[in-house]
Amino acid sequence: MAVVEAISEGQLQTQTGIYKAKEEDGPFFNDGREEHLLEYVRQALESSHSFKNPKEVLRLIDDYGQQHKYLMNVGSKKGQIVTDLITQRKPACMIEFGSYIGYSTILFSDAVRRGGGKKYISFERDAKFAGVAGALVELAGLDDIVTFVVGSSSKNLLAEHAAGRLQVVDMMFLDHYKPAYVRDLKICESLGLIRAGTVLAADNVITPGNPSYLEYVRSSPREKERKATEGSGSETAADQRFQQRTINQYDNVEEDDAVAPGNPGMVYESYLVQSEEPTGDPDGIEVTTCVGV
């Protein structure tokens, strides 16, 4: 499997420091830091009168992560990998799974809009996080292109497609509940959202890792058909190769019962771009292109 080094060092200097370390013995999110971040950014923008400036909002989020508390963002280094893909591909419609506080939403929707794209849909399961992300997106001046869909990504994919609001996906960013990557990709395949040329960018495939997703996008149609025939357990159950902390990260999320068989006949070309987390820990983005349906 091809592995690509992250983009040249000179292109990755927007993040001037590393984030605070991720807390290991206690909560590392959803403990009030998200609301504190929003107030921090809002006050700084009011002082500088620098509204509707995506780069400034991202700089302030990075500053908070470096000076105050860890934030589980994609960060500027891995983010550059995805924004370069957006610049090359110029997607008209991009979706993401997992907005959290909106760092990726701001970074990528800004790139989509600059490339002429008109639609960026963020699926975020947590209403509080979606509220914080929505407020930061508005401060960045990107609320004209971004739509948040709150709740189960799997069920909402089906609902958005049924309502006619989502018919084709040009580019996708996956950064939500790790065991749901394959489930949601299969739903997209079954709905016909994935076409030849659709690009998928998956975060955290090294840290904490996503063995089931890498196995799926790197398998040939014949291998996927064989596994589908043999059966590999419940689609709603988390793969036990994931760390227990990853499986239990969100309350009850693994109980989502929306599933679809996918399309094993889809042909993907996939490669890993090595990079690092905002904390400096090694990680990477798996870049996958659908080359045949």
Side-chain angles (χ1 to χ4, degrees), residues 217-249:
V217 297
R218 294 175 179 180
S219 292
S220 68
R222 180 174 294 181
E223 290 170 329
K224 287 184 287 185
E225 288 168 0
R226 176 179 56 79
K227 289 171 186 173
T229 301
E230 293 173 351
S232 57
S234 170
E235 284 287 350
T236 62
D239 189 320
Q240 293 305 306
R241 288 176 292 180
F242 288 102
Q243 299 174 7
Q244 202 61 37
R245 194 182 194 196
T246 299
I247 294 174
N248 297 331
Q249 182 167 333

Side-chain angles (χ1 to χ4, degrees), residues 74-107:
V74 64
S76 64
K77 291 190 175 184
K78 289 186 293 178
Q80 184 72 57
I81 297 166
V82 182
T83 54
D84 281 355
L85 288 169
I86 294 169
T87 299
Q88 295 164 11
R89 296 286 181 159
K90 294 180 170 51
C93 174
M94 180 171 177
I95 68 174
E96 72 173 355
F97 296 114
S99 177
Y100 184 42
I101 52 82
Y103 189 101
S104 59
T105 319
I106 294 168
L107 181 61

Side-chain angles (χ1 to χ4, degrees), residues 105-150:
T105 319
I106 294 168
L107 181 61
F108 302 152
S109 67
D110 182 41
V112 168
R113 188 170 67 178
R114 285 187 281 106
K118 302 298 183 184
K119 184 183 294 187
Y120 191 97
I121 303 174
S122 178
F123 291 87
E124 171 53 55
R125 67 175 294 272
D126 189 283
K128 185 183 78 172
F129 296 161
V132 171
L136 289 170
V137 164
E138 185 176 0
L139 289 171
L142 292 162
D143 48 314
D144 61 325
I145 187 174
V146 175
T147 300
F148 287 93
V149 181
V150 182

